[in-house]
Amino acid sequence: MRNIFERAINTLGWARLIIAAFLLVLFCVAPFVGIRIDTSLSDILVRVGMNGIMVLSMIPMIQSGCGLNFGLPLGVIAGLVGAVTSMEFNWAGFFGFFMAIVFAVPLAIILGYLYAQILNRAKGDEMMIATYVGFSSVAFMCMMWLLLPYRNPLLLWGFGGTGLRTTISLEGFWLSILDKFLSFRIGSLFFFPTGTLLLFALACLLMWGFFRTKTGAAMMATGSNPLFARANGVDTDQMRTLSVIISTVIGAIGMVVYEQSFGFIQLYMGPFYMAFPAVAAVLLGGATINRATITNVVIGVILFQSILTMTPSVINNVLKTDMAEVIRIIVSNGMILYALTRKEQAKK
Amino acid sequence: MFQAFHLFQMIRSSNKGERQISSNPLLSIKNIQKDFYGNKVLEDISFDLDRGEIVGLVGENGAGKSTLMNILFGMPVIQKTGGYKGTVQLNGKDICFRDPVDAIEAGIGMVHQEFFLIPSFTATENILLNRESTQYNFLVELFGDRLQKLDRTAMKERAIRAIQTLGVDIHPDTLVSEMPVSYKQFTEIAREIDREQMKVLVLDEPTAVMTESEASTFLTAMKRLAARGIGQIFISHRLHEILEVCDKIVVLRDGKVIKNIPASEATLRNIASWMVGREVGTTSFRRARSADDQDTSVLLSIDKLKVDMPGERVKNVSLEVREGEILGIGGLAGQGKLGIANGIMGLYPAQGSIILNGKPLPLNNPLESLKAGVAFISEDRRGVGLLLNESLKLNIAFTAMQVKDRFIKRLPGGIKWQDWNELDASAKEFIDRLEIRCTGPDQRVVELSGGNQQKVCVAKVLAMEPKLLLASEPTRGIDIGAKQLVLEVLREFNQRDRTTIVMTSSELQELRSICDRIAIVYEGEIVGIVPADAPMEDIGLLMLGNKLVDEPTHA
Amino acid sequence: MSKKNISFSSLIISNIVPLIFLLFSIAAIPLSGLTPTYLVQEMVTRLGRNTFLVLSLLVPVMAGMGLNFGMVLGAMAGQIGLILVVDWGIGGIPGLLIAALVATPLSILLGYFCGFIMNKAKGREMVTSYILGFFINGVYQFVVLYCMGSIIPVSDPELLLSRGYGIRNTMALPGLRQALDGLVSVEASGITIPVISLLVTLVFCLLLTWFNKTKLGQDMRAVGKDMAVADGAGIPVERTRILAIIISTILASYGQIIFLQNIGTINTYSSHEQTGIFAIAALLVGGATVARATIGNVFMGVILFHLMFVVSPLAGKNFIGDAQLGEHFRVFVSYGIIAVTLLLHAWKRRRNLLAKQEGKSEENREDDVS
């Protein structure tokens, strides 16, 4: 009996068990403080779909040994540029959404390639450098948003100002285009964002498939044991580069998906802290700095978004105060901190 | 008389030292026994060290020298593995240290082969590290002793005194990073000398990295220390140094003291043969060499190979390997024998030329080497040989999959899908053939025992179906049964598939039991190639760098 | 090539970062149209205001723990001290001293925690201290936004949000505003010099110089250079590292107090966030690296970084016609300089690793000759 218990802890990890138990308590308490479970579940599902692909983008880099992708803002920037460019042409509906991705992907490939060149020169210090590469690129794009020659008045500041607006609404373009695809409602409050979740599932499937290929095995070996990979005929630098490009491209697509669900495009400092929730989610799902699976992503994003949805609403209703932000900060950074201080597992 | 005078001086200068000269030896090691998990590594070791005496400790790698020194220093690894039996006495008192700091306080100093110095610090700072001279100031009352100010003048004086004892000329303000190797070694010793209570000094291969002239200055310094009454244990593979400087020689082999004699009674040849041991009966593996073996063509020819592998540097190796033979590469650790295979595989920066099967092999490119039909069993099983957290079947198939596109199902669109059916099938075959003890092809390799892990490495190589197999230390750290099996499989592989094998091993017996010829590496070069049945004594001498006078023509 | 030539070029290379910033400033000053008097005044003010914060980064660099992104912990402690002092209605120098007195034990506690965590993440100190900063920021927000006025008594309702608890977003520091700067200020050719702030900074510089010469300073250098060797010599490595972080955190809390008394208001929830990034960027602009930082780097960095900071919005406005661009530019430079320095450091570390191996083979080659 005790053995089973211990094994459960070992496979799941304390952190996840505690958080899952905490969630369970929240769900039990929720009806008594006037929170509807169906609304909450619906909220959670929407947010899972919204963030899932960005969390998934962590996998290739972790698996190839480049660590947690704190440089996610690069992918986010590509996603933003793609979205803004598609809107510049006034393209709406599925076509607009699709073209946003079409514009975003090549840019993500270029940025990812450059980013990989930096990371390959900083082996062992990837995370800190990734963070600051992310920050500087966001700051750099702040200048670009002012300077880039976009002309569509819907995107620009109305009077006097120059450059793109800080927040651009997707209303009339491709707002919730995926969320509403094949979606259905149960009752008046439960909404199921079928399209977004389907795309997330498809992305997970593709990612799983990728690691079942020859290249996927080589990438996994690069992260798991670079010496082994090299000795067995794998070009490790090339694998790392590929993984960074894939991560960035998925990040870019994830951002476009996020935007359609969120309803707004936030430029300037908007993408600044985008990496942290995604990193925290995958870690919460049980990934470590050098190993992550699809299961980690799915569990992680569900747990993380549940916490972010449930805790504030329960606390708000009990204490009549809004603690969402503080909880988000403590949970996500606490999770990252926990992962950083964990002893690395049998690696050499 | 001379000796006694210095002894007197030493006692006077040590403030807390012994007051009376006892008749006990300075250090006495009595009946030491030690085993690691039932595996005996030291058996009934006893010898004494007197004041001012230098004892030379010689033995092959794995003879037990380092374990003995670890016991002497109270290294935590000894306690963790169940302690040891027997006693160590210092000045007639039993000692048993909990950690190296205790040992240092009791007066035992150690000079490492690898420098334990901070390169950007000066000689003075290194010599007095954590024993600096300090001055009082009032803040000490508030924040404690560590806020005392360093007394640089006093520190310099102490450093100069310690350096002078050695009779060398190192400026106390020189940065360690700017020193030649021997000076670094002297700085290390000066650090030990500065401890006033130091009585015993252990020197672990201090001359290994030195030039001849540096080494001779070093030996002079050792003699000066001996004259001051410091007892020294000197570990070296350079036997002529041992003969020059030591009073007594202790030879270890397989965890036993084989000889304990005054240096004057030993010769180079004697020591060599004591070290490697006597002829043991021939073993089952070696096939009768048939005449036609000698006319087979050359498969691999290496010319002026230089490999930059840290700790196992190859300086200049030229070698020919004939098709279908098993060539052994032997030599002591650190001499460069492991660098040869690693260099051929392109794992460490190499220069020179390698011709395989008539075609030049591109250097520094593991993939090309693998594609050319070379396969490699790494000496670093867990570090290089395996993906510990992955399944057995993936480990076995990985190389063949990456290099030869085996175990792959092609899907439309050029996608190379891993064929898990085939993976399973081949893994099961190897599990049977190599008797790998596991729960199945999906078990993670990290959960297997060392011997079974090694079998996975062998399976990985067999799946490659190579022309040339480089096996580095294929039996290191595995139990007897697995050892036997691995050797049998290699032999079978060699005979049935006529695969040429280059096997590197520290165990001479093993090389002699399986190889056709054995090449011995010393200081990065091949000093001789002998038939496997050459006398042990000759091989021993070669391992210590003494070329045979009448070198036998290659068999 | 003469020896002088070599040392000249190496001098340029080793000071390349400050030089670039100097050249940039020289080019941007005329564009900004700011008068020399204004610039000198700004620099003097900013020296008094920001130097102390940057000084707090020196000790962890010495102990080999890199740039202490965890200094924001100290900044938060300093702010809590100030909030309480304002609530207690203590002004002037006593107010500042009491704020420091409150901040000290808090800093020791936070510093100990930070050092402890960093010891568990050796080799990843910077990213860990960085995330720790965010984490503690969450805790800080929790304390200040929810506990103050509810659990922790706050008597002055003016400080609280209208809902009755939690501190307001911005808070004036009446009585404390420029208490230190204004204590003795000298006017020289139209420039006001905050003598006491500068003096306090100077005294701490001397203290740090003295600290370098103590046994503890030597131990920290040894730990910073090589933990294994230091440990072998019996230096308590982990304890020494924790001490380095504690010292840094305490200094950062004092630095934040000095900084805020000059500004005169606290942005309760954001003042500390930028403290770390600007202090670190300034130190790096002064030519410091992750592994080496001197008091000279601090002063040079504060001047050059803030010169850029003051000049770039106006220069951007006059050059491209947009002040915002200049503001974004200086943010970009702050983050960019940190990214580049970290990259150079990582690169150099790898090169050194390779050079170390080659150096050994070099010695062997010499062996061959002799």
Side-chain angles (χ1 to χ4, degrees), chain C residues 132-365:
Chain C
L132 187 68
F134 282 133
F135 179 74
I136 298 291
N137 184 26
V139 178
Y140 169 86
Q141 288 198 14
F142 176 74
V143 169
V144 177
L145 195 54
Y146 300 102
C147 297
M148 285 203 171
S150 53
I151 300 168
I152 304 166
V154 172
S155 50
D156 186 352
E158 285 283 292
L159 296 179
L160 297 178
L161 292 164
S162 53
R163 66 184 183 194
Y165 61 90
I167 304 293
R168 281 175 187 282
N169 284 343
T170 50
M171 197 177 105
L173 296 172
L176 292 173
R177 191 185 149 80
Q178 309 229 329
L180 198 63
D181 292 351
L183 192 62
V184 179
S185 76
V186 177
E187 285 243 354
S189 54
I191 293 159
T192 325
I193 302 168
V195 179
I196 300 297
S197 301
L198 287 174
L199 210 65
V200 170
T201 309
L202 214 65
V203 166
F204 267 85
C205 284
L206 290 176
L207 264 176
L208 277 176
T209 319
W210 170 83
F211 179 76
N212 273 338
K213 292 178 183 164
T214 61
K215 169 90 178 90
L216 185 56
Q218 180 78 357
D219 287 355
M220 276 183 191
R221 269 195 300 276
V223 168
K225 292 290 191 296
D226 194 323
M227 273 190 254
V229 174
D231 187 49
I235 297 172
V237 171
E238 303 217 325
R239 206 183 126 78
T240 308
R241 284 161 55 95
I242 291 178
L243 278 177
I245 294 297
I246 291 181
I247 292 173
S248 170
T249 313
I250 295 175
L251 290 187
S253 75
Y254 298 167
Q256 186 76 353
I257 292 173
I258 293 176
F259 174 78
L260 288 174
Q261 63 83 31
N262 175 276
I263 302 276
T265 48
I266 301 183
N267 287 319
T268 318
Y269 304 105
S270 62
S271 277
H272 56 278
E273 282 184 355
Q274 297 190 326
T275 297
I277 173 91
F278 289 151
I280 287 169
L283 184 66
L284 296 176
V285 168
T289 66
V290 175
R292 212 184 67 89
T294 62
I295 290 176
N297 295 141
V298 172
F299 281 95
M300 175 112 83
V302 169
I303 292 176
L304 287 176
F305 181 73
H306 285 280
L307 203 57
M308 188 268 311
F309 215 79
V310 172
V311 165
S312 54
L314 280 169
K317 187 176 179 185
N318 295 338
F319 193 53
I320 310 176
D322 193 343
Q324 261 217 303
L325 194 73
E327 269 168 47
H328 289 313
F329 176 74
R330 65 186 192 187
V331 175
F332 167 63
V333 169
S334 312
Y335 288 110
I337 182 76
I338 297 180
V340 169
T341 318
L342 291 174
L343 179 62
L344 286 179
H345 176 68
W347 206 344
K348 202 165 157 190
R349 208 170 64 175
R350 280 193 67 211
R351 266 210 318 256
N352 280 350
L353 217 78
L354 295 176
K356 214 172 166 183
Q357 293 175 3
E358 270 169 31
K360 271 186 188 158
S361 68
E362 202 68 43
E363 283 156 15
N364 282 353
R365 254 165 245 149

Side-chain angles (χ1 to χ4, degrees), chain B residues 116-118 120-121 125 129-130 132 137 139 146-150 152 181 211 306 308 310 313 315, chain C residues 210 213-216 218-219 221-222 225 228-229 232-235 240 243 357 361 363-364 367-368 370:
Chain B
F116 232 51
L117 299 168
I118 297 179
S120 53
F121 274 21
E125 284 172 314
L129 192 62
N130 205 27
E132 294 90 349
N137 63 63
L139 283 169
R146 286 176 93 186
L147 279 187
Q148 291 196 345
K149 201 176 162 210
L150 298 183
R152 294 263 171 196
V181 202
T211 61
K306 206 174 205 181
D308 226 351
R313 204 153 261 116
K315 286 182 191 164
Chain C
W210 170 83
K213 292 178 183 164
T214 61
K215 169 90 178 90
L216 185 56
Q218 180 78 357
D219 287 355
R221 269 195 300 276
K225 292 290 191 296
V229 174
I235 297 172
T240 308
L243 278 177
Q357 293 175 3
S361 68
E363 283 156 15
N364 282 353
D367 265 19
D368 290 347
S370 64

Side-chain angles (χ1 to χ4, degrees), chain A residues 141-157:
Chain A
M141 283 313 288
C142 284
M143 296 193 279
M144 288 296 110
W145 300 130
L146 289 174
L147 297 175
L148 287 174
Y150 287 102
R151 292 285 169 268
N152 189 336
L154 285 172
L155 308 176
L156 301 179
W157 284 114

